[in-house]
């Protein structure tokens, strides 16, 4: 199989795909087609995950494939990452606010990382930051002594380790 890395970069994390062609990344996602108010709220919460992941990675566009209960693709929606919070606020149920999310994360990281950065840097390994639903506690714990915590596949790591053709 020829190496097409200069033309197309394809990486997979869980079921999410990030597609980058000519250095313009696009996040590809799937969601069940919303059929009820409950489904719309569920999709809106999914949008939070889509938005924060793409926002933090600098991915400007997300393409969502809506599927039936049988997994059949029914439609596509193209979203601009930066416009998702406003879309949720104006057209959705308003279940989350992008500014609140970013401000909370910044304050948490500023507070938490002052001492933790040294620990993580010195100890290495894979760490997880988690806040469970309805919990008032944020947990920070080590999940592996080394590696990538099963986030990246062996094939992806090997592909990224190869020198890029000039």
């Amino acid at each position: 199989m020829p190496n097409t890395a200069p033309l197309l970069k394809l990486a997979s994390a869980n079921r999410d795909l990030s597609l980058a062609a000519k250095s313009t990344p696009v996040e590809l996602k799937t969601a069940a087609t919303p059929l009820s108010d409950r489904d719309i709220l569920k999709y809106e919460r999914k949008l939070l995950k889509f938005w924060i992941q793409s926002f933090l990675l600098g991915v400007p566009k997300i393409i969502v494939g809506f599927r039936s209960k049988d997994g059949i693709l029914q439609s596509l929606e193209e979203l601009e990452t930066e416009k998702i919070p406003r879309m949720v606020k104006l057209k959705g149920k308003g279940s989350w606010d992008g500014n609140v999310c970013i401000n909370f994360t910044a304050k948490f990281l500023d507070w938490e990382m002052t001492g933790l950065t040294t620990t993580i840097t010195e100890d290495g390994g894979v760490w997880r930051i988690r806040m469970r639903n309805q919990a008032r506690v944020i947990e920070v714990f080590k999940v592996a002594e080394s590696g990538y915590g099963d986030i990246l596949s062996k094939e992806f790591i090997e592909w990224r380790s190869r020198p890029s053709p000039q």
Side-chain angles (χ1 to χ4, degrees):
M1 177 187 257
N3 182 2
T4 59
L7 303 174
L8 181 69
K9 295 178 184 177
L10 188 61
S12 175
N14 295 327
R15 292 184 207 163
D16 304 334
L17 296 175
S18 178
L19 178 66
K22 296 185 181 180
S23 74
T24 304
V26 175
E27 192 77 24
L28 303 177
K29 300 288 188 177
T30 64
T33 301
L35 302 173
S36 67
D37 281 347
R38 185 173 181 223
D39 293 343
I40 292 168
L41 187 59
K42 185 177 178 181
Y43 174 62
E44 195 170 290
R45 289 186 180 137
K46 232 180 181 189
L47 278 175
L48 171 60
K49 295 173 186 176
F50 296 174
W51 169 72
I52 198 66
Q53 180 181 5
S54 296
F55 175 80
L56 292 173
L57 294 173
V59 177
K61 193 178 288 186
I62 302 168
I63 298 174
V64 181
F66 291 99
R67 54 181 160 65
S68 68
K69 289 182 180 184
D70 298 323
I72 307 297
L73 182 65
Q74 295 182 316
S75 64
L76 295 174
E77 182 176 23
E78 195 171 302
L79 304 169
E80 292 181 49
T81 301
E82 67 183 31
K83 293 183 179 178
I84 291 174
R86 184 167 173 78
M87 180 183 85
V88 168
K89 189 175 186 177
L90 297 177
K91 297 179 183 174
K93 304 270 183 204
S95 64
W96 57 273
D97 181 325
N99 289 327
V100 171
C101 296
I102 294 297
N103 290 337
F104 171 80
T105 303
K107 286 192 182 284
F108 168 76
L109 292 175
D110 186 44
W111 170 78
E112 185 66 31
M113 293 307 185
T114 41
L116 190 60
T117 302
T118 303
T119 303
I120 290 173
T121 304
E122 290 174 0
D123 288 357
V126 179
W127 293 75
R128 177 171 292 153
I129 300 172
R130 172 175 69 193
M131 182 173 180
R132 296 178 191 222
N133 287 342
Q134 308 299 320
R136 295 187 162 275
V137 177
I138 297 174
E139 302 169 288
V140 180
F141 54 96
K142 194 173 197 175
V143 294
E145 291 298 320
S146 63
Y148 299 98
D150 295 327
I151 296 169
L152 304 175
S153 70
K154 178 182 166 193
E155 293 80 9
F156 179 77
I157 295 167
E158 289 171 3
W159 173 75
R160 289 292 290 159
S161 300
R162 283 186 240 143
S164 16
Q166 299 295 338

